[in-house]
C-alpha cells in the first residue's frame, strides 16, 4: 500500500493512527515533532503525511511552508488539529495542504481523507 508519515506530539494519537493505518496495510513512520519529521523526510519519500498543527518545537503550518518553499511538497499533506480555526485550515490549504481533519478524528473521516489523498 502506501508509505505514510504521521507527525503529532501526542503519543496516544501517534499510536492510534499507527494502528489504524497499519491495519489498513500501510507502512507507517512516526515523528513526535517537526525536527523528527524533517529527519524522516530527509531519509525517505512518503506517499502521504498526516501533520499536526500545534506542536511544541515548530507548528505544522510553518513546517508545511518550509516544505513548500523548498520544493519538498511532492506528497499530499493532511493537516490535523483539535484547536485550529477555520482561518488556519484555509491558510494550510492555500500553502498546499490536501485537506484538514479536526480532532478527535473519527475512523471514517481518517480513512476517507487518506484514501482521497492517495488517489
Amino acid at each position: 500500500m502506501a508509505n505514510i508519515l504521521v507527525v503529532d506530539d501526542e503519543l496516544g494519537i501517534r499510536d492510534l493512527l499507527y494502528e489504524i493505518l497499519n491495519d489498513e496495510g500501510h507502512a507507517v513512520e512516526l515523528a513526535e515533532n517537526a525536527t523528527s519529521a524533517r529527519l524522516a523526510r530527509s531519509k525517505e519519500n512518503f506517499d502521504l503525511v498526516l501533520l499536526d498543527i500545534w506542536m511544541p518545537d515548530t507548528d505544522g503550518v510553518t513546517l508545511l511552508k518550509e516544505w513548500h518553499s523548498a520544493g519538498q511538497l511532492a506528497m499530499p499533506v493532511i493537516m490535523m488539529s483539535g484547536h485550529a480555526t477555520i482561518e488556519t485550515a484555509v491558510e494550510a490549504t492555500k500553502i498546499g495542504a490536501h485537506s484538514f481533519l479536526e480532532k478527535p478524528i473519527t475512523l471514517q473521516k481518517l480513512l476517507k481523507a487518506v484514501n482521497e489523498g492517495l488517489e
Side-chain angles (χ1 to χ4, degrees):
M1 293 291 275
N3 192 19
I4 298 175
L5 175 62
V6 174
V7 185
D8 198 301
D9 60 316
E10 295 182 50
L11 176 63
I13 291 175
R14 284 196 313 272
D15 288 348
L16 179 64
L17 293 176
Y18 177 87
E19 286 187 31
I20 292 168
L21 296 170
N22 192 52
D23 285 350
E24 291 293 311
H26 301 293
V28 183
E29 179 145 349
L30 303 175
E32 70 274 3
N33 55 36
T35 302
S36 297
R38 288 183 194 103
L39 182 61
R41 286 281 327 276
S42 71
K43 292 181 178 179
E44 66 183 287
N45 294 318
F46 294 94
D47 300 310
L48 181 86
V49 176
L50 289 162
L51 179 58
D52 187 25
I53 291 180
W54 298 110
M55 296 185 293
D57 63 339
T58 302
D59 68 82
V61 174
T62 300
L63 185 58
L64 184 70
K65 286 178 185 175
E66 281 179 27
W67 288 344
H68 177 74
S69 62
Q72 296 178 322
L73 205 55
M75 70 292 173
V77 176
I78 299 170
M79 304 302 290
M80 308 179 294
S81 181
H83 311 288
T85 62
I86 296 297
E87 292 81 19
T88 306
V90 169
E91 178 187 5
T93 304
K94 285 181 180 176
I95 297 165
H98 180 270
S99 59
F100 178 85
L101 289 173
E102 190 172 1
K103 295 177 183 175
I105 301 167
T106 66
L107 178 65
Q108 294 84 357
K109 286 183 181 179
L110 172 67
L111 295 180
K112 182 178 185 222
V114 167
N115 289 335
E116 288 175 356
L118 292 172
E119 286 178 354

